[in-house]
Amino acid sequence: MTREGEERLDGGWLRVKVPLPFALRYVNAYLIPGDDGWTLIDPGLRTPDSERLWLDVMGRCGVDAADIRAIVLTHQHPDHIGLAGWFQERSGAPVYMSERAYAYAMRLWGPGRTFTAELQALYRENGLPRGMEEALAEHLESFVAMVSPLPEPVFIQGGGTIGIGGRAWEILDTPGHADGHLCFWQRESRIMLCGDQVLPGITPNISLLPGAEPGVLARYLHSLAELETFETILAYPGHRDPFRGMRDRIGEIRAHHVRRLAAMEEMLAEPLTGYEVCMRLFGERVQGSLHNLRFAMSETLAHLEHLAGEGRAASARGADGILRWRRG
């Protein structure tokens, strides 16, 4: 680490640890040099602290906004997309992301956003106490400033290639953690930019959300199987440190989900709402944090949906309109 929040990596890369007001503390952004300028990967959440950090880092490293020739996003979560529009305004650089990711970002934070009401309805039918709904809406709305302005993107998709740092990178469609999530693979060096799809030390959140394709956990596990086929020497993730042994880490994540599904199936010997299952799984970790509760609730619903898809659980709607789950 050369300075706080900034690290020099092999090949002249810069890793910038952009601060977050969440338990994760920071998100990794990568500045990758090329013959005609820099490519910026996932610039981070827009806050006054993150803006100050970027201005300090760029000043120390002699990088002007005009030197950034491309901004590449692995996915649309606010800690990754937040500063993309801010950088685009200053640099004029194109922002590359998947069309699905951008469409979801517009549902979340665009002018005609509908996501908040849809998420409230999903949680309500799965037992979220009514007193939490208004607070949830305020919490979601608070992110609008942290992702504004949204970028004007150039769409890329799995199966194509993109130039980063003077090399061709294969674009991989990797759904599960986020609709439209992309990873980037450099075949000659066997390096992968894996966003939040595979993380060291922590498991990526897998969320059932309104409007997403069904089978989110099944699609995530399928994408892990595809990533296992790549002989990755070094992976650059969105959180924590770059790591080796990606195949081993994928095996650990898969085993985690097997254990969680088994534990939830055991709980469903009695009928429970999704919220009740969530509290049994995550209770102490989500107390007092709507941010953590939202991730935990959607992760719980993704696993319940997966159990139902395997015939291991089923839900029934009561007279109160609430779904209750029971072992299949």
Side-chain angles (χ1 to χ4, degrees):
M1 187 70 62
T2 56
R3 302 274 185 126
E4 185 177 356
E6 165 201 342
E7 181 181 6
R8 296 273 184 178
L9 303 174
D10 291 343
W13 287 31
L14 280 171
R15 174 169 71 138
V16 180
K17 298 164 84 169
V18 184
L20 297 173
F22 318 133
L24 284 173
R25 293 180 37 242
Y26 66 88
V27 62
N28 292 323
Y30 300 98
L31 269 173
I32 302 173
D35 293 337
D36 61 346
W38 296 81
T39 298
L40 173 58
I41 311 293
D42 289 350
L45 189 71
R46 185 178 182 186
T47 67
D49 286 344
S50 61
E51 289 180 25
R52 280 192 294 270
L53 174 65
W54 270 116
L55 292 173
D56 288 347
V57 167
M58 292 170 68
R60 288 196 299 267
C61 298
V63 178
D64 293 328
D67 297 329
I68 296 174
R69 298 304 176 88
I71 300 161
V72 178
L73 302 179
T74 59
H75 62 296
Q76 77 280 11
H77 287 168
D79 53 334
H80 295 256
I81 195 176
L83 280 161
W86 185 83
F87 267 105
Q88 188 174 43
E89 285 186 338
R90 283 153 179 76
S91 66
V95 173
Y96 296 97
M97 65 188 301
S98 74
E99 188 171 5
R100 288 187 63 81
Y102 183 70
Y104 218 87
M106 292 300 289
R107 284 184 59 217
L108 283 162
W109 307 298
R113 51 188 175 272
T114 60
F115 181 83
T116 296
E118 294 166 357
L119 189 67
Q120 286 176 305
L122 175 67
Y123 285 2
R124 185 185 309 126
E125 74 172 1
N126 280 280
L128 183 74
R130 288 191 175 271
M132 293 184 178
E133 284 188 34
E134 185 175 341
L136 177 66
E138 293 175 0
H139 165 70
L140 290 169
E141 193 67 18
S142 72
F143 282 95
V144 174
M146 292 186 272
V147 299
S148 296
L150 287 170
E152 297 181 9
V154 176
F155 295 133
I156 55 176
Q157 62 184 3
T161 61
I162 187 170
I164 300 174
R167 292 183 172 185
W169 293 68
E170 298 173 31
I171 306 169
L172 310 178
D173 181 28
T174 50
H177 174 70
D179 257 11
H181 190 290
L182 301 173
C183 292
F184 302 91
W185 162 251
Q186 213 297 305
R187 185 169 294 275
E188 289 74 29
S189 59
R190 291 187 282 172
I191 290 174
M192 188 171 292
L193 289 159
C194 57
D196 285 0
Q197 195 72 355
V198 181
L199 298 173
I202 55 175
T203 53
N205 176 258
I206 309 301
S207 285
L208 178 67
L209 296 170
E213 290 182 21
V216 60
L217 180 55
R219 288 185 293 119
Y220 176 68
L221 295 173
H222 179 73
S223 78
L224 290 186
E226 292 187 336
L227 289 177
E228 273 185 312
T229 67
F230 293 87
E231 295 182 2
T232 300
I233 290 177
L234 183 60
Y236 290 93
H239 302 278
R240 304 285 183 99
D241 292 328
F243 64 99
R244 300 180 185 274
M246 189 168 183
R247 284 176 172 165
D248 290 341
R249 181 61 190 143
I250 287 172
E252 293 168 357
I253 293 172
R254 183 183 292 110
H256 160 82
H257 288 291
V258 170
R259 291 192 300 271
R260 173 157 292 168
L261 289 165
M264 291 173 66
E265 186 178 13
E266 186 68 24
M267 289 179 194
L268 297 178
E270 59 177 307
L272 296 171
T273 68
Y275 178 75
E276 288 168 338
V277 176
C278 177
M279 288 299 100
R280 292 192 184 191
L281 285 170
F282 301 104
E284 292 184 1
R285 284 178 278 175
V286 303
Q287 291 295 339
S289 171
L290 274 171
H291 183 76
N292 292 343
L293 173 62
R294 177 167 57 88
F295 278 93
M297 185 74 173
S298 284
E299 173 122 353
T300 298
L301 297 179
H303 284 75
L304 288 170
E305 181 201 45
H306 192 83
L307 286 172
E310 293 187 336
R312 297 162 63 185
S315 64
R317 194 178 303 275
D320 56 1
I322 305 299
L323 294 174
R324 288 174 176 81
W325 296 82
R326 190 150 195 169
R327 190 187 308 167

